[in-house]
Amino acid sequence: MSAFPESSAPSPRSPASGASPIDMRCLRVEEFLKARSLAANSQKAYRRELQRFLAWTERPMSQITPRQIVQYKEHLEKSLAESSVNRALSALKSFFSWLIEAYPDSLSTNPAKAVALNKLPSPPAFDLLELEVEALVAAVGQLPPERQYRETALVAVLLHGLRAGEVAALNLGDYDGIRLTIRKGKDDSGGTVPLNRQARDSLNAYLKERRHWGERYAKARPLFLSQSPIPGQKERLGYQGIYYAIKELGQLAGIANLTPHRLRHTYATKLLLKGIDSLHARTLTRHKSEANFKRYAKRALAAAAERAFYEAIGEEPPTL
């Protein structure tokens, strides 16, 4: 007989062992995030939403039912906007869908699938007017000379629909003199983006200026460099650097609340106003969701309807 009764021996998950119990649900969340090809910001958002759900319930994943998801939705609606509730539910739908594929023996149906998202109006596109774009480009001339080459190229690239995070990740090897290659975009939305002549000229001038100062070409070098306060150190221009550069230009141009993403909205809307087929426009902007892309079509449809109206009554469209 053992000198110590079995009941006195602490289990691996007992508080007496000094170790906290392992929550397998958290491990499954991390597995899910690793299995998905998500951008850093998207991964952070998914983790936040899934951890919020785990903090709300202690049930094992195999015991979650549609009823619990409905109760969780009602819980969120007490303090969150409808769009935030939808984001939380979408994360759960995606997670449980993966869980069924990865662990079919533990879960056979997606409990979140039966719970509908809130119906929301399509958000408007926050595109810039042509005069605002012109003011933005002109504002670069108010910057110190050493920044003008970079900011001119930066604005030109952002006006081709790239997200700030995508621009920050670009290397010299991603530009072939005609187009940019997005190797890792949001939700696997990589692809190529052709540049117009003005953008190519601006980018080429910026790169020529860097060569003038002795930089040697290497494919892995950043396409856009930060202006490091430490002499001799040139680092990648990151998301925050891009954000503040555009915000500063917006202030100089008199455009309130200007962000890099508004330039993406401007590009998408302009494509449709130019009459480009919606499918081609979505390919260029790398939107996966038709619903998300529809916001840009509203202004284009309104403009087309207005042109048709004046054509029908035999008048030239008036200009302001």
Side-chain angles (χ1 to χ4, degrees):
M1 182 175 178
S2 172
F4 299 96
E6 289 185 7
S7 59
S8 67
S11 69
R13 297 183 62 175
S14 168
S17 68
S20 300
I22 297 175
D23 189 340
M24 293 301 296
R25 304 177 309 162
C26 293
L27 295 181
R28 294 291 177 260
V29 167
E30 293 305 315
E31 282 185 55
F32 162 72
L33 295 174
K34 289 179 181 178
R36 295 285 303 274
S37 297
L38 298 172
N41 286 342
S42 297
Q43 187 175 102
K44 184 178 179 181
Y46 268 97
R47 180 178 285 109
R48 180 180 63 247
E49 295 301 342
L50 294 174
Q51 287 178 345
R52 192 207 309 257
F53 178 70
L54 297 186
W56 177 79
T57 180
E58 295 182 352
R59 283 175 176 262
M61 293 301 181
S62 59
Q63 295 180 18
I64 300 297
T65 67
R67 177 178 173 79
Q68 274 80 56
I69 302 298
V70 170
Q71 291 173 339
Y72 180 60
K73 179 182 179 183
E74 293 172 345
H75 164 73
L76 294 178
E77 288 174 337
K78 295 177 182 178
S79 58
L80 298 180
E82 288 186 327
S83 58
S84 298
V85 173
N86 280 358
R87 186 163 53 246
L89 291 178
S90 295
L92 290 176
K93 288 174 183 285
S94 182
F95 171 70
F96 280 112
S97 178
W98 168 84
L99 197 62
I100 291 171
E101 293 183 10
Y103 297 94
D105 293 337
S106 63
L107 194 68
S108 58
T109 59
N110 186 336
K113 186 176 181 180
V115 182
L117 300 178
N118 295 313
K119 291 186 177 181
L120 303 175
S122 179
F126 295 102
D127 56 297
L128 301 177
L129 300 175
E130 194 64 37
L131 288 176
E132 291 177 314
V133 173
E134 293 174 2
L136 178 64
V137 173
V140 177
Q142 301 180 49
L143 296 174
E146 63 270 16
R147 289 182 55 192
Q148 292 182 17
Y149 280 106
R150 188 192 72 177
E151 258 63 345
T152 299
L154 180 63
V155 169
V157 168
L158 288 169
L159 280 170
H160 280 72
L162 278 75
R163 302 174 178 91
E166 294 170 345
V167 174
L170 288 172
N171 293 328
L172 291 176
D174 297 325
Y175 174 53
D176 64 3
I178 299 174
R179 62 188 66 81
L180 293 168
T181 298
I182 313 301
R183 304 195 182 279
K184 188 175 182 181
K186 180 180 179 181
D187 297 331
D188 287 333
S189 59
T192 59
V193 179
L195 302 179
N196 63 22
R197 183 182 301 277
Q198 185 270 328
R200 297 196 305 270
D201 289 346
S202 298
L203 194 51
N204 291 339
Y206 168 56
L207 298 178
K208 182 179 179 180
E209 179 72 5
R210 283 165 54 175
R211 291 193 298 271
H212 173 74
W213 290 105
E215 182 179 352
R216 301 187 66 177
Y217 178 86
K219 288 185 177 181
R221 293 283 295 154
L223 185 64
F224 288 98
L225 297 176
S226 68
Q227 294 180 323
S228 173
I230 304 175
Q233 287 196 8
K234 294 291 185 180
E235 299 177 351
R236 183 180 299 275
L237 179 64
Y239 177 90
Q240 291 295 330
I242 294 172
Y243 178 89
Y244 286 115
I246 296 303
K247 182 178 181 180
E248 179 185 4
L249 287 173
Q251 292 171 342
L252 293 173
I255 304 171
N257 303 317
L258 183 62
T259 65
H261 209 68
R262 287 193 66 187
L263 305 191
R264 175 171 168 80
H265 283 230
T266 302
Y267 176 68
T269 303
K270 185 176 181 180
L271 291 177
L272 295 177
L273 287 172
K274 292 289 187 181
I276 293 181
D277 181 86
S278 177
L279 178 60
H280 296 327
R282 275 183 62 196
T283 300
L284 290 169
T285 60
R286 292 159 292 108
H287 275 90
K288 285 195 168 184
S289 169
E290 176 67 28
N292 287 340
F293 190 76
K294 281 183 178 179
R295 70 174 74 176
Y296 306 109
K298 289 184 177 180
R299 185 177 160 203
L301 288 172
E306 188 171 292
R307 287 195 300 269
F309 167 75
Y310 284 110
E311 183 178 341
I313 64 175
E315 291 184 10
E316 287 292 324
T319 57
L320 296 177

